[in-house]
Amino acid sequence: MRRTTVLRTALSAGLLVSAATLGLTRAAASEAPLSITTSRAPASSALVSAMQHDLGLTRQQATDRLAQETAARGVERAARRAAGASYGGSWFDAASGRLVVAVTEAASREAVAATGARVTLVKHSQRQLDTTKTRIDALEAPAGVAGWHVDPEAGSVVVDVVSAHRGDNDVRAFVSRARAAGPVVVHTTDRAPRTFAAGTVGGDPYYTGNVRCSIGFSVYGGFVTAGHCAQPGAGVRGWDGSYIGNFQGSSFPDNDYAWVNVGSGWWTVPVVLGWGTVSDQLVRGSGEAPVGASICRSGSTSHWHCGTVLAKNETVNYSQGAVHQMTKTSVCAEPGDSGGSFISGDQAQGVTSGGWGNCTSGGQTWFQPVNEILNRYGLRLHTA
């Protein structure tokens, strides 16, 4: 059951709204996604407490980190411009509280450092690594390959192989072809990813057919969520069984995103539900958090959990097919959390797709970035 302080009729974008101002969702801009990368609002005490619990930080460390990550989002854009063609990627270094930017040319170092970033020299540019990943995306991956992503810190594309299948002939053949595509390193993982949809259970945010998923973010006219939850045209019911709207667009596999129109007495608000763990969070934009940044997730099964961004632009190889351009996190999730909100500070990040593990023993989860969804469907994020 949801907490009684939530106004049940105001559910939108995967969260319920408490009082008359609460809600869920993400929106999109008509030309480019609406992004606000700096927040002047102080972090809520409950959000800081959640980061203390899930990231093992003191209260002061959590507060400082949120401020540092906000600054890093602004630095990343300037640093990328300053680096030009020598840009090799970037990541947030929690130990120093700064953004690290990789460049391939020493001549770029001074200009990039002037933006406030820490600079490191690497062999391969972001463009070279992206090209390698694109070549690997064209290969047919066997079930024993969990996924692959560009890792700017490693200066290569990382291919994750399920440890129990690393000796399989088809896995070895795939890895051989991947290595021929460019700079590649192979890591092993104990578990293969899966999506987080679930069968119908009472008291959850939305249902389609016999599947329960979670709302992601409110957009003007509806909300965004995961594509594997339903096909276009599918009807959506709220927690109380009443009609909300229909899937207007959906893509899975290849992508894992969708959007649902909202009507019949339901409306959208720029809020992500904190489930009593933290206060409900206002959404103020969709500025992208760097690798290494803290990030939190809200979902209808496991509620609110936090972790860090581990990788971007990862191809995840589900049993239903590969999904591209995903972001990998250390946040746990469980069946029914699919489609739910990933947020960093007050910035919308993406909708929950899948992963492995659970919120008892831990695990990893991937999300589809929200800005891609907004651009794909021409949506506008509902922001505070």
Side-chain angles (χ1 to χ4, degrees), residues 307-331:
T308 57
V309 178
L310 300 178
K312 294 185 181 183
N313 192 23
E314 177 151 9
T315 298
V316 179
N317 192 35
Y318 293 129
S319 61
Q320 300 95 327
V323 176
H324 304 95
Q325 297 178 302
M326 302 270 270
T327 297
K328 180 181 184 179
T329 77
S330 64
V331 187

Side-chain angles (χ1 to χ4, degrees), residues 90-157:
S90 64
W91 59 94
F92 178 77
D93 177 49
S96 65
R98 295 176 63 191
L99 187 77
V100 182
V101 175
V103 296
T104 59
E105 300 291 339
S108 302
R109 181 188 288 271
E110 186 175 347
V112 174
T115 67
R118 205 175 84 212
V119 186
T120 185
L121 286 173
V122 294
K123 184 177 181 180
H124 304 290
S125 69
Q126 181 78 49
R127 180 174 296 180
Q128 290 171 316
L129 297 178
D130 287 344
T131 297
T132 298
K133 182 180 176 294
T134 298
R135 290 170 180 161
I136 299 173
D137 284 345
L139 304 177
E140 184 174 351
V145 177
W148 50 96
H149 66 273
V150 170
D151 185 344
E153 191 169 4
S156 64
V157 174

Side-chain angles (χ1 to χ4, degrees), residues 9-29:
T9 57
L11 172 63
S12 83
L15 301 179
L16 290 181
V17 186
S18 70
T21 58
L22 298 177
L24 289 172
T25 150
R26 298 181 131 125

Side-chain angles (χ1 to χ4, degrees), residues 339-361:
S341 320
F342 265 94
I343 188 167
S344 181
D346 57 14
Q347 301 293 303
Q349 299 297 309
V351 300
T352 303
S353 174
W356 58 266
N358 55 54
C359 291
T360 299
S361 60

Side-chain angles (χ1 to χ4, degrees), residues 130 154 231 253 280:
D130 287 344
Q231 296 295 312
D280 295 339

Side-chain angles (χ1 to χ4, degrees), residues 33-98:
L34 174 60
S35 294
I36 301 173
T37 56
T38 58
S39 171
R40 299 184 183 278
S44 71
S45 176
L47 174 59
V48 171
S49 296
M51 292 178 65
Q52 287 181 255
H53 178 270
D54 289 341
L55 298 179
L57 304 175
T58 66
R59 177 166 291 273
Q60 188 60 53
Q61 286 172 333
T63 301
D64 290 345
R65 179 158 175 166
L66 285 169
Q68 292 161 353
E69 290 172 357
T70 297
R73 287 196 295 266
V75 168
E76 196 278 337
R77 294 193 307 277
R80 183 188 285 263
R81 288 194 299 269
S86 80
Y87 180 73
S90 64
W91 59 94
F92 178 77
D93 177 49
S96 65
R98 295 176 63 191

